[in-house]
Amino acid sequence: MTSEVANVVIIGAGVNGLIAAKTYLQVDPSINLLIVDAAPAIGGTWAEHRLYPGLKTQCLYGTYEFSDLPMHGKAGEHIPGQVVHDYIKQYAEKFDLIQRIRCNTKVEVVERVGKSWRLTATGAIGKTTIVCDKLIVAAGLTSEPLIPAIPGSEIFDVPIVHSKTLGEYAASLLKSASSVTVYGAKKSAQDAVYLFASNGIKVNWVIRKSAGSGPGWSAPTKPVIPGTQFDQVGSIRAIGWLSPCVWGNADGHGWIRWFLHRTRLGRWLTAGFWTMGENYMIQENGYDSDPKLQRLKPWCRRAYEPPELIGLSLTEATSESFSSFWGGASLGALNFSTNFFELIKSDKVEVHITDITALTSRTIHLSTGEAISADALICCTGWLDIPAFKVLPEGIQGELGMPYPFPKADALVAKADKEILSKLPMLAAQPPMYEEDPKTRPFRLYRFIAPPTSAFDRSIAFVGVASALATLLSGELQALWAVAYLTGRLDLEKRSPVERATCGMTLEDERLWETVLATRFGRWRSPAGYGARFPELTFDAMPYHDLLLRDLGLEFRRKRSWLRERFTPYNVKDYEGIVDEWLAKIGTASPPVWTS
């Protein structure tokens, strides 16, 4: 076994890991920094081995790029996966990160030893240990696939493929398969269905009936707000006001949010906005125009009107189904080269709302009694919550803010639920959802980045555990906050000594409370998405970005006029030079000050 030492180690060579590396080196060019990744290539989701024909971003050219590296392409078009991969590689080359990256290196154990972290990893040359002072976990949300255990899998005789590895099988299946089954309901399932059906291969699309939240909402190519694309909606302040959010007041518009979410008239206006948006999607997508498309119509609608506002009991108010309001990251873009729904209406796709009960040789058995033949089963069934590596000593996952098995009852959770529902009453009218018993407590990170305790001396941070439409924008701001935190240049104390003495909470207690409140909010805000498992910032990204900038002591209003600030989308160019701006504010020679 070999061993080595580094100042900083980053786990993950996807976009968040690369941004964190570039930012850390910009702040301190002298450090010995190493990036490790289990994959054979950089890029994370956009690594070359994960690509397949037709795979594109949900973002358009101009809205998915780093602030210091423009991406050139045709405006208004979704970006092909290969273009994204090449662009990420160009970024790594521009900032001299390639020499610091070690692919095919899988971290198996992360252990706290004294004031250092010791990583045990397996790579091409066998096992190695790496000891570091600072650790950034940038493994993302799509690293460990969840493949359901189906009786008979061992005798199926043809591939069972998760969406993560579809790129490795796509070429051979496109040549040899006559029929495949896609298992799942959300965007990755749409991508798999389109891949095969558009290439003339019969697809049986199975959407679970007994569990899950069913098909997600699909944003039409034609935007609901003229001049604004799907991926920009969450970056408009005025749209964000219409999303109830526990950290919403960080954007400086608390009075508007109070009116929209604490008064009956405001909630009526807010409900009208969401109803308009979902009716637009229903009409544009033609869900009611064809029996096959009706099966893809999201199962719930208009469950968000507060019961007291419309004169219904909670049961009656939630008796229809879930609206786009509750969907969070399950909302996807129709980013296909041809009309997806026309393909669904063709004889190439059959939609089954049922469950898979068993597998036999090349045959999938459904709960309806049907048996369908298949040359492959494509599982678009999500991701494991627990990280791929073991954490030692045993039991510190909770202190770190990482998911861990078998959560215990938590009085802070009950307190947070009460506060959320009292301040944001719209969230009380939850849609009727299938809810699995939680097997893990979700990520519980301060600002979705740092452990909620000072026990680890600012030695570890997490980036990329919050899902956002503006992935790279959020990534750049998270990276700067994380580096400021790790280097001791971020003051988390917002109260004066007198205020601290009279508020009744220590800094540690307040930090934990804010963390629990923000984490628990996801469960109420996005029950039809993934909010109970990890933070979703689909419509709440702007005040989150404002919160990070406020912590850093930087200006969060970055537009040149009052109207633009509130009614035009933000993008990475609005934050161009943000690291230099922060360095100028603190002074590059400023020594580390804060350790708690």
Side-chain angles (χ1 to χ4, degrees), residues 75-98:
E77 290 189 356
H78 294 280
I79 312 165
Q82 186 63 53
V83 173
V84 178
H85 172 76
D86 293 343
Y87 174 71
I88 293 170
K89 185 177 179 181
Q90 182 186 358
Y91 179 84
E93 290 170 344
K94 176 179 178 179
F95 295 105
D96 200 24
L97 302 179
I98 297 295

Side-chain angles (χ1 to χ4, degrees), residues 109-175:
V109 179
V110 171
E111 183 177 6
R112 182 69 166 162
V113 181
K115 290 186 176 296
S116 300
W117 294 96
R118 181 169 62 199
L119 284 62
T120 303
T122 301
I125 59 173
K127 282 192 177 294
T128 185
T129 61
I130 309 168
V131 177
C132 62
D133 301 316
K134 307 290 185 180
L135 178 64
I136 298 177
V137 180
L141 299 169
T142 60
S143 58
E144 289 301 303
L146 172 61
I147 300 179
I150 304 173
S153 296
E154 69 282 359
I155 60 172
F156 190 45
D157 295 333
V158 289
I160 299 176
V161 181
H162 190 270
S163 54
K164 177 180 179 177
T165 55
L166 182 54
E168 300 172 34
Y169 287 86
S172 61
L173 289 175
L174 289 174
K175 290 179 181 177

